[in-house]
Amino acid sequence: MSSRPTMRAISQDTFGGPEVLHLAQVPRPEPLPTEVLVRVRSAGVNPVDWKTREGGGMAGALGEPPFILGWDVSGVVEEAGFGVHTLEVGDEVFGMPWFPRQAGAYAEYVTAPSRQFARKPAALDHDRAAAVPLAALTAWQSLVDAAHVGAGQRVLIHAAAGGVGHFAVQIAKHLGAHVIGTARAAKHDWLRSLGADEVVDYTAVRFEDVVRDVDVVLDLVGDGHDATSTRSLKTLRPGGTIIAVPSGVSPELLDAARARGLRAKAYLVEPDGAGLARIASLIDKGALQVEVEDVLPLADAGEAHRRGEEGRTRGKLVLRVTD
């Protein structure tokens, strides 16, 4: 009898810094009914990856190491399980499977329900497509489903030049909003080219001193850094909403918001193949641009984490898994 096929993957045996990530040979997954086996061409790197690596993030869903990080996938369907009707072998797809459970995107193959994937935008190669799912779905679901952003509203986006932020700027503009972003001065011209109406250098001024009458704040920084969520309440008009993504809504933030007649909502992205199909359509129409700062080989996952944790990335970092 032949042994089960194996694949290359980035694994970790303990929680810790980037040095715990190492290249390993692990069993290749096999698709169950309604699932597809996807040969991963590229995998996106997200802040939740390094937070989970350290024992935070989604570590509670993954459990104790060893495990394989990563949720952003772009690749090709290699096998389709019984009951799969939306995809076929050979289809180029992208997705954010299983989140917050283990997807294992830092590997040569992943399996997941077919409806957690969508066909890759024709306008993008796999490297750029892998930068899209988690970040763009976070922006889309938080602005559309959680905040119900509409035409004429004023939207403040913190960390506007980051992975989620640069999608959020474009999606909010697509929805007809007046978009204000916070970012370092060097990124202001680029953010304006994406559709930002105003950009605030948070290193030069306190944003709450210069921004007023906002309907929605999308906070991609959180109270864990300089009390960004709490300070953002001062920018909201009565009845306004803050969506707090990385650190959630603490009881203190919730009480402070209620005292001002505001709404505070926590948010966590979820897999959504149909949502990805809408995003792919926007990309192919030229209405949504994808920024990738750099593409690194799979074996350099630790270096990608080190660079990402510095917090200076414009757009996304991506790992190239297979050619």
Side-chain angles (χ1 to χ4, degrees), residues 115-127:
R115 293 178 187 269
Q116 293 188 3
F117 293 97
R119 286 180 173 80
K120 179 182 73 65
L124 301 182
D125 60 16
H126 286 288
D127 291 337

Side-chain angles (χ1 to χ4, degrees), residues 124-150:
L124 301 182
D125 60 16
H126 286 288
D127 291 337
R128 294 173 67 216
V132 174
L134 192 148
L137 281 175
T138 298
W140 181 273
Q141 293 174 5
S142 59
L143 293 172
V144 175
D145 300 332
H148 308 294
V149 170

